[in-house]
DNA sequence: GTCGGTGCAAATGCTTTGCATTGAT
DNA sequence: ATCAATGCAAAGCATTTGCACCGAC
């Protein structure tokens, strides 16, 4: 069992909450997805694995996982939230194609340095950052040139 | 008349759309706000200035202003979209307090350099970026220590 | 037997859309 | 006259919540 489950279990215990089968299923599905996901995708993955969990429980569990510091919201657009694993991961930043929506993850140490410096300058305590680059991928550009934009 | 109006007018004309009084009112209210705003705040500002515009028109105009490259969406949370002027402005990045929601704008040239470099490495065409630092402000920390968190 | 957890369905709240009307060229 | 813009109210849709039921300690 991945250490993440232990982290989650410990977090829940600290609040007198329970590590239920539904919560385990959801966390395992997230680990399986291993990238940015939406609630709908998560629900599909849970069901693909043969479990049945209601959407309400998925939302409730996502909130717990965020509070536990295991996943984080990554907002690409206003329509719906995207999430990703963060616990024990190097922070992942995103290069997003404005035309096709394709999204490439990368990490850059300099971003952490900048965050640290800005926080220091303001006397705030750093928690994390979110960095997204908006750009056009070669396919996206091609689509636009093909007259579709 | 601020040059922004001219930019918007030119954009609209290029699409055979009209620079209506409502659209002018909305743009002027945005210029007045001069920072990150939500739709509700924008609507209030428009009305404070003595104009009456429907929420539907505000949403429709916001979309046009985004396409015109005058404003951009800045997503802090999943509940609702925030927007801000970008045309002719140095890109503004955000330091957000996770407890109080207070948000401080700053700019850092290095971010633009990083964006440029990452795009080059991937062969994509840079459009813009969004950088948000999540942190605890001194007030936020105090609130948490006061037992409210 | 007390609490928290779950599923369902209803509610919420931001955003979008259909439609009839209005306005500009 | 035509074509786009507006306001209103209704629809959409992701997310949240109320409630009845279930299960663990």
């Amino acid at each position: 069992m991945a250490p993440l489950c232990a982290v989650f279990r410990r977090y829940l215990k600290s609040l007198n909450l329970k590590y239920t089968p539904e919560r385990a299923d959801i966390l395992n599905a997230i680990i399986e997805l291993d990238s940015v996901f939406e609630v709908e995708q998560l629900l599909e993955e849970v069901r693909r694995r043969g479990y049945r969990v209601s959407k309400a429980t998925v939302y409730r569990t996502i909130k717990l996982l965020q509070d536990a510091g295991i996943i984080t919201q990554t907002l690409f657009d206003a329509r719906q939230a995207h999430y990703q694993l963060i616990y024990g991961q190097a922070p992942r930043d995103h290069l997003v194609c404005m035309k096709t929506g394709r999204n490439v993850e990368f990490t850059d140490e300099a971003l952490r340095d900048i965050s640290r410096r800005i926080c220091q300058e303001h006397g705030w305590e750093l928690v994390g950052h979110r960095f997204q680059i908006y750009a056009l991928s070669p396919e996206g550009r091609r689509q636009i040139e093909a007259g579709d934009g």
Side-chain angles (χ1 to χ4, degrees), chain A residues 45-97:
Chain A
E45 177 64 19
V46 168
R47 298 200 164 141
R48 208 184 54 65
R49 295 162 61 90
Y51 302 112
R52 236 121 276 276
V53 173
S54 75
K55 203 176 258 195
T57 294
V58 168
Y59 275 107
R60 288 189 274 234
T61 303
I62 280 178
K63 193 160 289 170
L64 289 170
L65 288 165
Q66 284 187 88
D67 292 343
I70 293 172
I71 67 176
T72 189
Q73 260 194 1
T74 302
L75 302 165
F76 291 120
D77 60 71
R79 281 209 83 72
Q80 84 219 67
H82 294 243
Y83 301 87
Q84 67 180 325
L85 260 181
I86 41 163
Y87 188 88
Q89 312 243 335
R92 295 183 186 174
D93 304 297
H94 299 272
L95 178 58
V96 184
C97 177

